[in-house]
Amino acid sequence: MKKEIGKFYAIAFNNNYFEFIVYDDNTMSCPTLGIKSFKTIELKPRFVLKGIGEENNSYIYDAKSNEPDSSHPELIGNYTISEELFSLMKENKMIKYSTDMAYLYGFTDKDGYDNNKYGVGSPYKRAKKKGPILTKQKKGQFN
């Protein structure tokens, strides 16, 4: 029988919380969405869950918006994961994130999947003026 080893949360800009439970068999569940078992989560504003069920289906969190200023209050504005759980999940290939997302969400580990062998990723979409882009993204305004 699998045992719970930790929990983390995805928090949308509108303060909706998504709870994720991590188990010792390297699977997770999301009671908030009613998803009982999946293997990997890609951490981004529209998170992606992979390896759902025996068919290994995927789920992409959809945040719709009708606002003209391109603000999406349903998008994920923050992830709260303890450093210990984060490291364990990364070691077991349970989480994925790009370098952009590491900077956007303030992860201590900035080594996203798009880092090259020199440790240089592409934070902030390779823009020359990164500050304004990050400020907009932190408010939920994405391209």
Side-chain angles (χ1 to χ4, degrees), residues 40-48 50 79 81 86 90 94-116 119-126 133-134 137 142:
T40 307
I41 181 171
E42 186 171 351
L43 305 175
K44 56 187 186 175
R46 287 185 170 98
F47 58 79
V48 179
K50 294 183 180 180
Y79 288 94
I81 308 173
F86 189 95
K90 185 171 181 182
M94 297 172 71
I95 57 172
K96 286 181 64 175
Y97 56 93
S98 69
T99 305
D100 289 351
M101 295 303 104
Y103 281 87
L104 176 65
Y105 293 119
F107 300 149
T108 302
D109 185 342
K110 303 285 193 260
D111 189 19
Y113 61 75
D114 57 345
N115 262 358
N116 65 26
V120 179
S122 59
Y124 318 121
K125 301 179 184 179
R126 297 186 182 152
I133 290 173
L134 182 60
Q137 289 180 346
F142 294 84

Side-chain angles (χ1 to χ4, degrees), residues 8-10 16-21 29-35 47 59:
F8 69 96
Y9 300 89
N16 284 342
Y17 281 71
F18 296 88
E19 178 182 49
F20 296 92
I21 302 171
S29 67
C30 181
T32 311
L33 296 172
I35 299 174
F47 58 79
Y59 170 89

